[in-house]
Amino acid sequence: MMTACIPPASTLAGYIDESIHTGARLYVIGLVVADPGIADDVRRHVSALVPSARPPHWAMEDEPTRAALIKEIGAIPVEAHVYGCRFERPKRKEAARARP
């Protein structure tokens, strides 16, 4: 008889985002592990740095806003990891996602 493997309970949450940089032929995944209790404060602080009503998006920000975002995000108590994989041709960018 098989027993189920139950992972240990955790008070942390994981947040993942991906980015494809076709010019650099680079596929990137970012993972942040943090206490979900700080999420609302982080959103409020980061959104206050963007000079518009829209949510912040790196590609749409000017250099001073990017610098402010880096400083603010760097002060957040989280564990972050970034993984990257190069691809040869733009049509192969999705294949980079499947690489170990």
Side-chain angles (χ1 to χ4, degrees):
M1 179 174 184
M2 291 188 81
T3 58
C5 179
I6 300 171
S10 175
T11 59
L12 300 176
Y15 303 90
I16 299 173
D17 196 13
E18 65 182 353
S19 179
I20 297 173
H21 304 271
T22 306
R25 296 181 177 150
L26 183 63
Y27 176 79
V28 179
I29 295 176
L31 166 67
V32 173
V33 178
D35 177 348
I38 67 170
D40 289 337
D41 285 339
V42 169
R43 282 188 198 95
R44 188 171 35 260
H45 287 285
V46 169
S47 292
L49 298 173
V50 178
S52 70
R54 65 172 169 70
H57 193 281
W58 187 258
M60 299 173 72
E61 310 309 335
D62 59 17
E63 288 302 317
T65 303
R66 286 182 181 182
L69 286 168
I70 290 169
K71 185 176 180 181
E72 184 71 28
I73 292 168
I76 300 170
V78 299
E79 179 183 337
H81 301 273
V82 177
Y83 303 93
C85 185
R86 294 207 175 273
F87 52 90
E88 296 301 318
R89 297 182 310 275
K91 290 185 178 185
R92 299 288 299 155
K93 62 187 174 194
E94 294 301 323
R97 179 185 295 175
R99 289 191 195 150

